[in-house]
Amino acid sequence: MLAERQTCVCGEIVDLLPLSQSTVSQHLKDLKLGGLVQGEIEGKHSCYCINWEALHEFHESYLDFYQELQKFKKETNCC
């Protein structure tokens, strides 16, 4: 939703998800703390958008991490 709209008010997200306002707010707060989302409080509303540069860096780091893990993959699983 954030990618589609570019900006979003927290209440709109709550209306579309089967989650409480507090849960959505906490997740957005965590994403903001991680740098993946940017946001501002405007009066009673919070406005959020994706930090595309940070998301790209996260993606690149994840790919590097995944490739490192693949070195340890075996043909059979332990479970």
Side-chain angles (χ1 to χ4, degrees):
M1 182 177 178
L2 291 177
E4 183 180 313
R5 293 190 184 185
Q6 300 295 313
T7 61
C8 186
V9 175
C10 185
E12 294 175 21
I13 296 172
V14 172
D15 292 342
L16 295 174
L17 297 174
L19 302 170
S20 69
Q21 170 74 44
S22 61
T23 300
V24 172
S25 293
Q26 184 62 47
H27 285 286
L28 288 168
K29 178 183 172 185
D30 292 340
L31 288 168
K32 185 177 175 185
L33 286 172
L36 298 176
V37 167
Q38 298 170 318
E40 297 178 2
I41 297 174
E42 299 172 357
K44 293 182 179 181
H45 301 286
S46 299
C47 185
Y48 295 94
C49 63
I50 294 174
N51 180 341
W52 289 102
E53 184 177 324
L55 187 62
H56 176 75
E57 290 174 17
F58 172 78
H59 178 256
E60 293 296 316
S61 295
Y62 176 79
L63 289 177
D64 292 342
F65 173 72
Y66 181 78
Q67 287 177 345
E68 284 295 315
L69 287 179
Q70 287 296 310
K71 295 177 186 176
F72 303 104
K73 184 178 178 183
K74 298 180 180 175
E75 294 299 317
T76 59
N77 291 326
C78 64
C79 299

